[in-house]
Amino acid sequence: MRDVISILSAALLFTSCEKVIELDYKGNQSRVVIEGNITNEPGPYFVKISKSIGLSESGTYPAIDNAVVVVRDDFGNSETLTRQGSGVYATNTLQGVEGRTYTLLVEAEGQSYTAQSTMPPHVPFDSIKVGEVTIGGDIEYQLIPVYKDPAVKGNNYRFVLSANDKLENQHLVQNDELRNGLVNTIRLEVNDDDLKLKPGDLITLTMQCVDANVAMFYTTLALMGDSGPGGGTTPSNPPGNISNGSLGVFSAHTVEVKSVTIP
Amino acid sequence: MYRKIVIIAIIELLILLGSTTLLLAQSKYTVSGTVKQKSSGETLIGASVVVVEKPGVGVIANTYGFYSLSLPQGSYTLLVSYVGYKQELIPVELNSNVMINIDLSDEVLLEEVVISSKRNDENLTTATMGTEVLDIQTAAKIPVVFGEKDLVKTIQLLPGVKSNGEGSNGFSVRGGATDQNLILLDEAPVYNASHMLGIFSTFNSDAIKDATIIKGNSPAQFGGRLSSVLDVKMREGNNNSYRVSGGIGLISSRLTVEGPIQKEKSSFIISGRRTYADLFARLSSDFKGIQLYFYDLNAKGNLQINSKNKLFFSGYFGKDVLAVSNFLGSKWGNSTGTLRWNSLVSSKLFSNTSFIYSDYDFNVSFKSDGNEVNYNSNIRDLNLKQDFSLYPNSKNTLHFGFNVIHHTITPTKAEGTDIVRDKKGRKALENAVYVSNSYEASDRINLDYGVRFSFYNILGGDTYHIYRDNRSVETITLDDGEVGKTYYNWEPRLSMNFIVNRTASLKMGYARNTQNLHLMSNSTGGSPTDQWIGNSYNIKPEVADQVSLGFSKNFKDNAYELNAETYYKSMKNQIDFKDGTDINTVPDIESELLFGKGRAYGLEILWKKKEGKLTGWIGYTLSKTERKINGINDGQWYNAKQDRTHDVSIVAVYELKPQWTLSGTFIYTTGNAVTFPTGKYVLNGMTMYQYGGRNADRMPATHRLDLSVTYERPARRKYQSSWSFGLYNVYGRQNPYSISFEENKKNPQKIDAVQSSLFRWVPSVTYNFNFRE
């Protein structure tokens, strides 16, 4: 739905033109960024802690290496993660299990941050179907992840897309709000301004079954990326699941990877 | 508070009674009738009828061209005038109530460019504030993109009215939102006033007589939106002879047929329009399989039953179609129908009864992998409106009446293969009762005051959830026919005019407006996917209070006019929704809503030159508009997206030779308030942006010059024609349409701001013709 507007405006034969402009940006308040992932695959799992920098700054993102990071689940397992350097912390014994709720505790720079995420049951990822549409003279390829949604309502899926082994900066989310309990036939809303698929391209999709909060985080990003007349929704920091004003997201999810070559 | 307003209402009734008794005592008689254009029989809205023997005594013809004056027995001369028309002196022997219909000839002055159809010094003498009338002749001379003359685009050139963006027909009035404008076509509300995502308005200028914009200080007969009323009136058609007129342009053509039904008594007009850019485009293989066009049809007829009763029917039907191969199809459009009955109950009492139907429908379907998803939303109104104009004496004109609208609103609903979704249409009644009086208190003071009592009933047939902190805490199921929550609002309106001297006047006004229907939009610019929602158990009526102060001065015998107004408006119960809400798929949008308030203030200056070879205006607006919504921007005030500090528009029409007219417009506006990223970070291998305060940044300023030249070929007996050549964006400024941020291809650490622009140098050619019997 969200790209209907982009299609509409593209079709309107606009003499649209683009140029890079210089803007004055407001000062940025550097904030802690926490990225945590627990999956159903064998560990170790990583939590990465860094800080944001100003938009026009270059150089590396400051890493926080003196934090205390604890992950525990609702079955009484708990461990303190080991510092790996460059802001990365790793688990040692913890094993991600479907249905369990994980809690992340971080003490960094005198502040504490907490987050919670529940790993949904794994939904098998069968294959990637490649659809073709002719728009004007061009052939556009559509990617349809094939999986059977379970009968219980409330499933959310996030897809991570790589084209020719390059990670694409796109936020792709699906849910069962419309068609619960059925085999998916809906295409991913890939922004084709950034990615023009052509025959021979190797597409890799990682399907993650995520909880509702994580899905909301990525849906917000997807809506902001929308471009249409007057732009998409007003951008903002997406509502993450980490407390105390940290950026980022903590996600417990299942993982399954499929690849396909565009015919 | 309520008691106070009730008292005002009582006082009003007393005035009414008072004037009636006065009448009995002095044995006054009434002269009344309709003012029309001689050649076509079109009624002249706002024509002035003045009594020569009694300076200061006069009346303005109402929206149906009707006037009524009550005077003591005697002989009088009526001076009837309307700008651009030859004025008439009509002798009247008033020994009994008489009816005199007046035809004004426009033949002498037709060629003169008319900038305002109002009486020359009406800006000084009426109490109305924040009001501008634009007639179609004005709009016709002003250059627009693609050469399609457009009333809505012309209105956006007035101070206080701001376009939503290039190519957009959405507009913001005095800091209000796009959905806060009541757009009426022959009294029928139009819910989506644009075609092709806003490049064209739904108003086919060939079928339009004029348009009035009232910026918040509307008389009590209007209500239902916070910011403005755009009242568009369709032409009635020529009641003397048959005519065919039309225009052929680069991407669209128009054709109009009009003529008498009963000669000099009744007439009809049918006007149609279609774009055909896609037909040409399809010849090129690049656009194979793409369908993109709109068409619309206006029809109006009137029938004079007898000298006291007249029936009008007007209808509008428009549709936009967009389809891409077999995978996307969409259609949307408005239809409206109005049946009106004008009746002279007595020489002092004029009645108009309207039955109105209005419908807006949006449908888009996607096909993928053999399955189809359809999104559909719809709003349908049945509307009964009764207005009375009472002319008790020459000092007072009373308007009173009521309005009942039955809404059926179906929010966006997904349907299609395997989709089970049960969203119902919600029904509601929107009602209002009003009374207002225009009172000439003295030679120097005119007052317009009134009150509108509006109430909104939620009707049964659906289930409503009450949310607290975005969690459903209570569920209310209303059966069909059951009446749910009712919201009441009193809306007092007052405006006052003080004539300082023959060329200057001071005005002040206060108005409260309420709004019961609200537009949910995911995009900042407005799109056909936006959906309306009515009041509910969570959504309360929006309320705006506006005070304004104005000064008008005319120069050189009314050849120049200066109007300045300042306003302050506060808005309650403003609505937004949580970040990340996809309004089209969320099960109940009400769970995602956020509420707050708004404020807007500004200064508007309009300098007009109304006579001579060079006519036009300069408008300037200095303004501010902000919102404070719980859950957005940490609950602090922030700029509304339509906040623009400066806004300048210059419109000039120059008559080079009798056949050649040159015209140009220049606009400059501060960029919209937007949110740019302030920082960046990396998450799961992707670069992300960090944002600071909402709408704390500005798009670059927009400015543009458009020119056009019109050549009118000398009339050949029955055939008249003209050529218009236009160039939009003469100096090819790349005005900002949107800005996106991306990593520089060579240096990924650098973030580029990429601005995209729409139109540069759009030429246009239009051929217009007019053939009369």
Side-chain angles (χ1 to χ4, degrees):
Chain A
M1 185 69 186
R2 70 185 168 91
D3 63 354
V4 59
I5 306 305
S6 358
I7 297 168
L8 285 169
S9 31
L12 277 173
L13 334 171
F14 285 156
T15 47
S16 168
C17 49
E18 291 190 341
K19 67 172 181 185
V20 173
I21 56 167
E22 289 303 316
L23 293 170
D24 286 331
Y25 298 107
K26 294 266 185 308
N28 188 54
Q29 194 197 343
S30 180
R31 277 160 71 174
V32 168
V33 181
I34 299 173
E35 164 194 318
N37 293 295
I38 308 287
T39 72
N40 61 338
E41 295 184 319
Y45 312 114
F46 300 99
V47 172
K48 197 175 167 189
I49 307 173
S50 61
K51 293 184 83 170
S52 63
I53 59 174
L55 195 73
S56 34
E57 283 177 58
S58 52
T60 50
Y61 296 93
I64 298 179
D65 278 320
N66 54 358
V68 179
V69 182
V70 174
V71 174
R72 55 170 189 248
D73 66 15
D74 51 355
F75 274 67
N77 303 308
S78 175
E79 71 167 291
T80 303
L81 279 65
T82 313
R83 184 184 312 153
Q84 307 274 303
S86 306
V88 177
Y89 299 80
T91 58
N92 299 304
T93 56
L94 195 86
Q95 176 55 47
V97 179
E98 294 165 38
R100 287 193 186 171
T101 299
Y102 294 86
T103 305
L104 171 73
L105 302 154
V106 173
E107 294 282 343
E109 298 193 329
Q111 298 284 316
S112 40
Y113 305 91
T114 60
Q116 239 177 26
S117 179
T118 302
M119 189 184 302
H122 173 243
V123 173
F125 184 12
D126 296 328
S127 61
I128 306 168
K129 207 175 212 174
V130 180
E132 262 182 43
V133 220
T134 317
I135 298 179
D138 296 337
I139 295 176
E140 302 240 324
Y141 295 96
Q142 304 183 331
L143 303 176
I144 302 155
V146 182
Y147 58 90
K148 188 177 185 306
D149 181 68
V152 179
K153 209 167 172 167
N155 293 286
N156 294 285
Y157 309 97
R158 174 184 176 229
F159 296 87
V160 181
L161 171 67
S162 294
N164 301 321
D165 294 323
K166 184 181 160 280
L167 174 69
E168 292 294 323
N169 193 345
Q170 298 214 18
H171 306 290
L172 306 165
V173 190
Q174 294 195 332
N175 62 38
D176 60 0
E177 188 55 55
L178 286 184
R179 283 196 178 105
N180 183 41
L182 298 170
V183 174
N184 178 57
T185 55
I186 308 285
R187 69 197 179 93
L188 292 176
E189 298 196 339
V190 177
N191 181 345
D192 46 21
D193 285 346
D194 296 346
L195 178 64
K196 271 268 177 277
L197 295 175
K198 51 187 189 306
D201 281 350
L202 174 69
I203 298 300
T204 307
L205 276 180
T206 306
M207 172 164 147
Q208 302 179 346
C209 299
V210 295
D211 70 15
N213 291 332
V214 175
M216 171 60 93
F217 180 84
Y218 286 104
T219 306
T220 309
L221 289 168
L223 285 170
M224 274 155 37
D226 215 355
S227 61
T233 48
T234 307
S236 59
N237 299 318
N241 54 1
I242 304 169
S243 70
N244 203 10
S246 161
L247 299 168
V249 68
F250 173 61
S251 172
H253 54 258
T254 67
V255 170
E256 193 168 352
V257 183
K258 289 279 181 240
S259 290
V260 73
T261 304
I262 304 285
Chain B
M1 185 65 190
Y2 283 179
R3 181 167 295 174
K4 217 179 212 173
I5 297 152
V6 172
I7 291 168
I8 293 174
I10 292 170
I11 290 171
E12 223 152 22
L13 275 173
L14 287 177
I15 288 181
L16 170 59
L17 290 172
S19 30
T20 322
T21 42
L22 213 65
L23 191 91
L24 291 172
Q26 292 191 0
S27 89
K28 282 189 170 185
Y29 296 108
T30 303
V31 53
S32 62
T34 307
V35 187
K36 288 180 184 163
Q37 181 183 19
K38 198 174 210 163
S39 60
S40 69
E42 291 276 342
T43 54
L44 296 176
I45 302 168
S48 105
V49 182
V50 180
V51 184
V52 177
E53 290 80 3
K54 287 183 161 257
V57 173
V59 70
I60 305 282
N62 75 5
T63 39
Y64 310 97
F66 178 76
Y67 76 95
S68 170
L69 267 172
S70 294
L71 300 163
Q73 188 173 16
S75 304
Y76 300 99
T77 315
L78 300 182
L79 173 68
V80 187
S81 60
Y82 192 75
V83 171
Y85 290 74
K86 209 170 135 184
Q87 50 186 31
E88 292 278 343
L89 284 169
I90 315 272
V92 181
E93 204 61 48
L94 208 57
N95 299 319
S96 61
N97 290 341
V98 289
M99 187 189 269
I100 301 177
N101 292 327
I102 301 153
D103 293 331
L104 293 188
S105 167
D106 55 338
E107 267 148 27
V108 184
L109 299 158
L110 187 66
E111 295 306 316
E112 189 177 294
V113 177
V114 180
I115 280 300
S116 166
S117 60
K118 294 188 292 181
R119 206 171 65 178
N120 265 347
D121 62 347
E122 198 188 313
N123 64 314
L124 300 180
T125 53
T126 60
T128 340
M129 290 195 75
T131 304
E132 286 295 331
V133 184
L134 270 178
D135 57 24
I136 201 67
Q137 286 108 308
T138 312
K141 302 268 162 110
I142 291 173
V144 285
V145 65
F146 298 127
E148 179 84 14
K149 54 188 168 184
D150 195 324
L151 265 173
V152 179
K153 290 250 155 51
T154 310
I155 277 183
Q156 291 172 3
L157 295 168
L158 292 167
V161 185
K162 298 181 183 187
S163 155
N164 274 357
E166 187 160 37
S168 170
N169 246 309
F171 57 94
S172 154
V173 176
R174 290 187 171 173
T178 313
D179 69 330
Q180 293 174 347
N181 305 310
L182 179 65
I183 301 175
L184 300 172
L185 178 63
D186 269 357
E187 300 177 17
V190 176
Y191 285 98
N192 182 343
S194 63
H195 283 303
M196 277 193 169
L197 302 169
I199 301 196
F200 296 93
S201 83
T202 50
F203 304 113
N204 174 354
S205 51
D206 284 358
I208 302 301
K209 176 144 83 181
D210 67 14
T212 307
I213 179 118
I214 311 171
K215 298 180 282 190
N217 277 90
S218 57
Q221 74 229 50
F222 295 110
R225 298 290 186 279
L226 290 197
S227 291
S228 78
V229 177
L230 176 61
D231 189 17
V232 181
K233 296 267 183 257
M234 274 168 65
R235 286 176 53 213
E236 276 144 38
N238 196 303
N239 68 10
N240 288 317
S241 61
Y242 291 98
R243 282 171 191 222
V244 178
S245 58
I248 299 165
L250 287 179
I251 64 167
S252 71
S253 282
R254 298 165 271 123
L255 190 72
T256 303
V257 182
E258 58 189 302
I261 298 174
Q262 306 152 280
K263 203 157 173 146
E264 287 178 13
K265 279 187 175 166
S266 58
S267 56
F268 73 93
I269 178 167
I270 298 172
S271 186
R273 193 163 60 140
R274 192 199 191 276
T275 60
Y276 40 66
D278 63 317
L279 298 180
F280 293 126
R282 238 180 289 166
L283 298 175
S284 135
S285 65
D286 281 357
F287 294 100
K288 223 172 144 188
I290 292 182
Q291 269 185 301
L292 169 75
Y293 61 89
F294 77 80
Y295 58 89
D296 54 21
L297 195 68
N298 289 76
K300 189 167 177 174
N302 61 72
L303 206 61
Q304 185 149 359
I305 301 166
N306 53 39
S307 64
K308 295 198 167 154
N309 291 285
K310 200 167 184 179
L311 276 180
F312 298 79
F313 168 77
S314 40
Y316 168 83
F317 181 77
K319 194 129 247 172
D320 277 66
V321 175
L322 172 87
V324 181
S325 303
N326 55 355
F327 105 99
L328 169 94
S330 58
K331 278 182 189 172
W332 64 94
N334 299 283
S335 355
T336 69
T338 312
L339 180 67
R340 281 184 299 161
W341 170 36
N342 276 189
S343 174
L344 272 177
V345 182
S346 77
S347 59
K348 290 173 188 291
L349 184 63
F350 177 91
S351 156
N352 175 63
T353 312
S354 301
F355 299 96
I356 304 157
Y357 169 83
S358 179
D359 176 276
Y360 173 68
D361 197 73
F362 172 75
N363 190 47
V364 60
S365 68
F366 296 93
K367 279 194 193 114
S368 85
D369 201 20
N371 283 278
E372 197 175 336
V373 189
N374 254 296
Y375 293 92
N376 178 270
S377 70
N378 178 276
I379 177 162
R380 184 171 298 147
D381 285 357
L382 287 171
N383 187 336
L384 169 66
K385 204 163 160 269
Q386 173 62 54
D387 303 296
F388 290 104
S389 302
L390 179 68
Y391 303 82
N393 52 44
S394 59
K395 298 267 182 222
N396 290 285
T397 305
L398 254 112
H399 298 281
F400 54 97
F402 66 88
N403 185 201
V404 180
I405 309 175
H406 181 273
H407 297 290
T408 308
I409 303 167
T410 312
T412 301
K413 201 164 60 172
E415 290 162 332
T417 322
D418 301 327
I419 297 175
V420 189
R421 199 82 187 278
D422 190 30
K423 253 191 191 176
K424 288 180 185 161
R426 284 187 170 173
K427 294 187 168 68
L429 275 182
E430 189 176 6
N431 317 287
V433 183
Y434 72 90
V435 55
S436 72
N437 187 26
S438 296
Y439 174 49
E440 208 180 297
S442 78
D443 286 352
R444 284 175 171 254
I445 295 171
N446 290 298
L447 278 168
D448 269 12
Y449 54 94
V451 63
R452 184 179 176 90
F453 174 64
S454 61
F455 54 109
Y456 185 93
N457 312 105
I458 297 170
L459 297 183
D462 199 11
T463 301
Y464 292 80
H465 297 277
I466 298 179
Y467 294 93
R468 209 150 292 143
D469 300 323
N470 304 104
R471 280 211 177 83
S472 174
V473 293
E474 201 184 330
T475 301
I476 295 165
T477 303
L478 297 175
D479 291 331
D480 272 323
E482 207 178 325
V483 177
K485 194 170 172 70
T486 298
Y487 289 100
Y488 303 94
N489 276 296
W490 286 98
E491 304 173 31
R493 315 276 172 91
L494 169 73
S495 52
M496 196 176 95
N497 181 35
F498 175 72
I499 300 171
V500 181
N501 57 37
R502 280 175 50 87
T503 63
S505 77
L506 273 172
K507 297 181 182 201
M508 54 180 284
Y510 161 75
R512 167 172 287 185
N513 280 286
T514 67
Q515 178 160 344
N516 297 302
L517 297 185
H518 324 275
L519 190 67
M520 303 287 120
S521 173
N522 245 358
S523 73
T524 47
S527 100
T529 59
D530 298 347
Q531 44 179 310
W532 290 90
I533 186 167
N535 291 341
S536 69
Y537 290 84
N538 304 295
I539 305 170
K540 298 183 180 69
E542 298 174 57
V543 180
D545 289 290
Q546 176 177 287
V547 284
S548 44
L549 197 65
F551 173 72
S552 294
K553 173 133 180 95
N554 291 1
F555 302 88
K556 294 213 168 154
D557 204 15
N558 301 326
Y560 294 86
E561 183 179 314
L562 173 74
N563 295 309
E565 275 190 32
T566 65
Y567 63 90
Y568 181 91
K569 181 160 70 175
S570 82
M571 292 164 271
K572 273 199 305 191
N573 303 334
Q574 299 297 289
I575 305 167
D576 206 327
F577 40 80
K578 285 201 299 189
D579 296 329
T581 305
D582 186 343
I583 58 167
N584 295 305
T585 54
V586 67
D588 185 1
I589 178 103
E590 289 195 46
S591 65
E592 309 300 312
L593 297 180
L594 302 170
F595 300 97
K597 55 187 179 177
R599 62 184 178 204
Y601 43 95
L603 169 69
E604 297 162 1
I605 295 168
L606 179 62
W607 166 261
K608 278 196 216 173
K609 183 174 186 297
K610 299 191 290 185
E611 288 168 19
K613 277 189 185 295
L614 176 72
T615 54
W617 70 82
I618 299 173
Y620 171 72
T621 311
L622 174 70
S623 64
K624 184 87 198 155
T625 176
E626 295 167 298
R627 298 292 179 273
K628 187 178 193 285
I629 308 251
N630 245 335
I632 295 178
N633 204 41
D634 302 324
Q636 301 298 308
W637 284 102
Y638 62 91
N639 296 328
K641 64 195 170 207
Q642 64 270 28
D643 176 55
R644 289 181 218 154
T645 315
H646 304 285
D647 191 285
V648 179
S649 50
I650 300 172
V651 176
V653 178
Y654 184 69
E655 203 186 301
L656 220 53
K657 287 178 186 167
Q659 277 133 25
W660 289 90
T661 310
L662 192 68
S663 66
T665 57
F666 172 79
I667 60 147
Y668 173 93
T669 75
T670 307
N672 272 355
V674 288
T675 313
F676 291 148
T678 54
K680 56 186 175 181
Y681 56 98
V682 171
L683 189 70
N684 293 319
M686 300 178 188
T687 301
M688 314 275 277
Y689 300 118
Q690 183 185 342
Y691 297 93
R694 176 173 286 222
N695 295 349
D697 299 285
R698 289 276 163 198
M699 293 286 263
T702 291
H703 52 87
R704 196 183 70 230
L705 175 71
D706 308 329
L707 290 176
S708 81
V709 58
T710 305
Y711 169 67
E712 275 177 57
R713 294 179 62 178
R716 286 188 216 152
R717 292 165 63 192
K718 291 174 176 172
Y719 194 75
Q720 268 186 315
S721 64
S722 70
W723 285 94
S724 281
F725 303 90
L727 183 59
Y728 179 89
N729 202 354
V730 172
Y731 54 88
R733 157 95 177 159
Q734 284 178 270
N735 281 311
Y737 182 65
S738 65
I739 292 178
S740 60
F741 297 88
E742 49 194 60
E743 290 167 35
N744 186 296
K745 293 257 169 2
K746 289 188 193 122
N747 173 14
Q749 292 203 334
K750 188 174 180 295
I751 305 295
D752 285 340
V754 182
Q755 172 193 290
S756 50
S757 321
L758 286 186
F759 308 115
R760 294 180 81 183
W761 302 297
V762 186
S764 65
V765 185
T766 311
Y767 176 74
N768 288 308
F769 63 90
N770 189 326
F771 182 77
R772 63 175 105 173
E773 180 198 19

